[in-house]
């Protein structure tokens, strides 16, 4: 995993009339159970239905997962040590953290030159920020956030914990490939990311049943899981090429 040049900056709203942003919290236990126990059958038809979604979204999910891993898990473990700035005083009604997006590979522009991700959380205070141990319910807001070859806009409800060390995410993110910025699409599949870089996404089929797809950000293989078993898949052109593991 490449190191991220992310800069963290605490931003404060100090006017008394400001109200903290509110959002519907994630039920992390329900999300974990849904991903661990998909309800649909794995077969050729369901694999094709998932392929229609993941073929386009696979690489954006990979780069997003790597970025979030570095921000939340790497910062705590020492794997990634981004520079960050804390003001002298914490006050006001709306405390949040801004994280710089890294931009294209090997781009050494100034921090925040490639957009940002804002983290809102009711758990933010001076002690939490001093260790960057941001846990619990979160709201992530992406603004012109460039990561590798993609630009992310929108929000994601999230939950971060260290026991187990995982990040749950329900995104509503528009993403565009920099080479084709006029053809955006949306990431909205619920996702779990663990400390080892394993990503698990939950796909809802047209039947209303679900399949889970697991992969690692550094590997090309994907595991497609249903209640009747799993298949080991790779992306070939616009389809999933799957075999029993």
């Amino acid at each position: 995993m490449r190191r991220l040049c992310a800069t963290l900056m605490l931003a404060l709203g100090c006017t008394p009339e400001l109200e903290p942003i509110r959002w519907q919290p994630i039920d992390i236990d329900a999300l974990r159970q849904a991903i661990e126990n998909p309800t649909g059958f794995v077969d050729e038809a369901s694999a094709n239905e998932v392929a229609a979604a993941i073929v386009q979204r696979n690489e954006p999910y990979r780069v997003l997962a790597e970025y979030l891993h570095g921000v939340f898990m790497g910062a705590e473990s020492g794997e990634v040590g981004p520079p960050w700035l804390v003001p002298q005083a914490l006050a006001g009604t709306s405390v949040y953290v801004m994280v710089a997006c890294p931009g294209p590979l090997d781009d050494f522009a100034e921090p925040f030159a490639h957009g940002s991700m804002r983290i809102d959380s009711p758990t933010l205070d001076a002690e939490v920020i001093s260790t960057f141990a941001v846990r619990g319910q979160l709201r992530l807001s992406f603004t012109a956030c460039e990561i590798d070859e993609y630009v992310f806009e929108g929000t994601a409800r999230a939950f971060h914990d260290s026991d187990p060390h995982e990040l749950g995410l329900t995104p509503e993110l528009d993403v565009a490939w920099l080479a084709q910025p006029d053809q955006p699409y949306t990431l909205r599949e619920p996702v779990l990311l663990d400390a080892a870089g394993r990503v698990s996404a939950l796909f809802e089929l047209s039947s209303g049943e679900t399949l889970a797809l697991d992969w690692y950000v550094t590997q090309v293989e994907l595991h497609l899981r249903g209640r009747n078993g799993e298949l080991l898949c790779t992306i070939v052109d616009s389809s999933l090429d799957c075999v029993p593991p």
Side-chain angles (χ1 to χ4, degrees):
M1 180 180 296
R2 69 183 180 88
R3 289 181 66 87
L4 301 171
C5 288
T7 297
L8 308 184
M9 179 180 68
L10 180 73
L12 303 176
C14 298
T15 54
E17 65 271 13
L18 287 179
E19 287 292 332
I21 292 177
R22 303 183 187 280
W23 62 93
Q24 185 68 30
I26 284 183
D27 186 336
I28 189 63
D29 292 328
L31 176 57
R32 192 183 299 117
Q33 285 295 319
I35 288 178
E36 290 177 355
N37 301 284
T39 59
F41 279 89
V42 176
D43 54 26
E44 182 177 358
S46 62
N48 288 339
E49 193 170 339
V50 171
I54 194 58
V55 167
Q56 188 181 46
R57 294 171 174 82
N58 177 56
E59 192 60 23
Y61 268 129
R62 285 181 185 274
V63 300
L64 179 63
E66 182 181 1
Y67 172 66
L68 293 175
H69 184 281
V71 170
F72 288 99
M73 300 174 187
E76 289 189 7
S77 67
E79 178 182 329
V80 176
W84 45 298
L85 174 66
V86 179
Q88 295 300 308
L90 301 178
T93 60
S94 183
V95 179
Y96 58 91
V97 172
M98 297 291 289
V99 185
C101 297
L105 284 168
D106 303 321
D107 188 306
F108 301 102
E110 289 297 317
F112 294 96
H114 298 290
S116 63
M117 177 182 69
R118 167 174 166 163
I119 305 172
D120 285 275
S121 171
T123 65
L124 282 176
D125 58 25
E127 181 178 356
V128 167
I129 293 165
S130 69
T131 60
F132 203 69
V134 181
R135 299 189 180 95
Q137 298 290 342
L138 312 172
R139 183 180 188 268
L140 312 179
S141 304
F142 295 77
T143 303
C145 178
E146 293 184 31
I147 309 174
D148 290 0
E149 300 179 0
Y150 301 92
V151 181
F152 298 85
E153 289 272 359
T155 61
R157 296 181 298 126
F159 184 92
H160 179 227
D161 203 355
S162 57
D163 187 21
H165 208 157
E166 65 183 4
L167 178 71
L169 196 71
T170 57
E172 285 292 335
L173 290 175
D174 292 330
V175 57
W177 187 29
L178 286 172
Q180 296 178 334
D182 58 339
Q183 299 181 29
Y185 46 93
T186 303
L187 304 182
R188 55 169 53 96
E189 291 79 19
V191 169
L192 277 178
L193 171 66
D194 70 17
R198 181 175 183 259
V199 184
S200 297
L202 188 69
F203 288 83
E204 184 174 345
L205 303 172
S206 57
S207 64
E209 296 182 312
T210 59
L211 293 181
L213 193 68
D214 309 317
W215 69 92
Y216 287 86
V217 294
T218 57
Q219 300 177 4
V220 298
E221 293 85 6
L222 307 94
H223 289 258
L224 184 63
R225 293 186 289 110
R227 58 176 170 165
N228 62 326
E230 69 175 64
L231 295 174
L232 181 63
C233 304
T234 55
I235 295 175
V236 178
D237 297 326
S238 59
S239 64
L240 287 177
D241 183 12
C242 300
V243 295

